[in-house]
């Protein structure tokens, strides 16, 4: 799933070129290439085995289709926001509209009395808090910072850097699973960080 979501980077770069006229210098292209290659290496070859927290539930084809659709939607969202940010829209205000609209839709779905939307997990205070806290950190804080970056950099670069979560997650997965990531995962992380450094160098 991490790999599929990371595919928003090439989609954003392509859409930025087609609709916003964005282009990258050779140095930035090299940096983006290294960062994305590092991500692929860390995700594809960065596991010794599948831990229960990474297990696929349901049809793999549906997971792939939904993951690619999510990546495309994320790329389209970045491209759609770029003109508004360049026109002076405050990133925090844009984040409030973006996450607020999503929260409204999710709330409607969560309260809809349809069997397909019924969760098998009991809604205890701990479960609710466990859902709210990652939302605040992962969407409110992360999306706000992403939009600040989008105002100053090309959409493709922002998408690549935003997709570096698997690199940051390596030590977290190590702690949760008790299984240290293999050498290929760390090599991928080094490539990703090196690519990010090249993007911002000079």
């Amino acid at each position: 799933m991490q790999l599929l979501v990371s595919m928003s980077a090439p989609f954003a770069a392509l859409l930025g070129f087609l609709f916003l006229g964005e282009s990258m210098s050779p140095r930035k292209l090299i940096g983006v290439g290294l960062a994305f290659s590092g991500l692929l290496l860390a995700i594809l070859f960065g596991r010794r085995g599948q831990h229960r927290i990474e297990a696929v539930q349901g049809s793999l084809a549906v997971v792939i289709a939904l993951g690619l659709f999510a990546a495309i939607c994320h790329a389209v969202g970045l491209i759609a926001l770029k003109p508004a940010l360049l026109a002076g829209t405050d990133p925090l205000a844009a984040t409030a509209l973006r996450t607020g609209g999503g929260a409204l839709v999710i709330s409607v779905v969560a309260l809809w009395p349809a069997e397909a939307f019924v969760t098998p997990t009991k809604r205890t205070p701990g479960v609710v808090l466990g859902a709210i806290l990652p939302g605040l950190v992962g969407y409110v804080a992360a999306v706000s910072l992403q939009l600040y970056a989008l105002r100053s950099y090309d959409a493709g670069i922002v998408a690549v850097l935003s997709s570096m979560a698997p690199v940051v997650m390596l030590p977290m997965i190590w702690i949760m699973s008790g299984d240290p990531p293999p050498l290929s995962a760390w090599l991928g992380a080094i490539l990703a960080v090196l690519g990010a450094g090249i993007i911002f160098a000079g």
Side-chain angles (χ1 to χ4, degrees):
M1 192 63 184
Q2 296 165 352
L3 175 60
L4 294 173
V5 174
S6 298
M7 290 302 294
S8 64
F11 289 139
L14 176 61
L15 293 175
F17 174 76
L18 293 176
F19 296 102
L20 300 178
E22 294 181 345
S23 60
M24 300 183 195
S25 65
R27 174 177 58 82
K28 289 185 177 180
L29 281 174
I30 292 174
V32 168
L34 281 176
F36 195 65
S37 298
L39 288 172
L40 294 181
L41 182 61
I43 296 171
L44 288 176
F45 305 104
R47 294 175 294 181
R48 287 196 174 92
Q50 190 179 65
H51 190 262
R52 62 179 179 82
I53 63 176
E54 298 178 301
V56 175
Q57 303 292 333
S59 170
L60 181 60
V62 173
V63 170
I64 292 174
L66 292 177
L68 287 175
F69 182 66
I72 293 173
C73 288
H74 183 247
V76 171
L78 288 178
I79 299 303
L81 278 171
K82 184 68 179 280
L85 293 172
L86 292 177
T89 302
D90 183 72
L92 289 178
T95 299
L97 292 174
R98 190 180 184 188
T99 56
L104 177 61
V105 174
I106 292 173
S107 298
V108 171
V109 172
L111 297 174
W112 196 272
E115 185 177 353
F117 300 144
V118 175
T119 173
T121 305
K122 186 178 180 180
R123 296 176 185 173
T124 63
V127 170
V128 174
L129 180 62
I132 292 176
L133 184 60
L136 290 174
V137 176
Y139 289 94
V140 177
V143 169
S144 298
L145 294 173
Q146 183 186 52
L147 295 188
Y148 275 107
L150 184 63
R151 188 167 59 178
S152 303
Y153 295 95
D154 291 344
I157 292 176
V158 173
V160 169
L161 297 178
S162 301
S163 300
M164 291 182 66
V167 174
V168 181
M169 287 170 59
L170 283 177
M172 300 179 187
I173 294 176
W174 187 353
I175 294 173
M176 291 182 65
S177 67
D179 186 21
L183 179 61
S184 56
W186 296 114
L187 291 176
I190 292 172
L191 278 178
V193 173
L194 178 62
I198 291 176
I199 290 173
F200 292 109

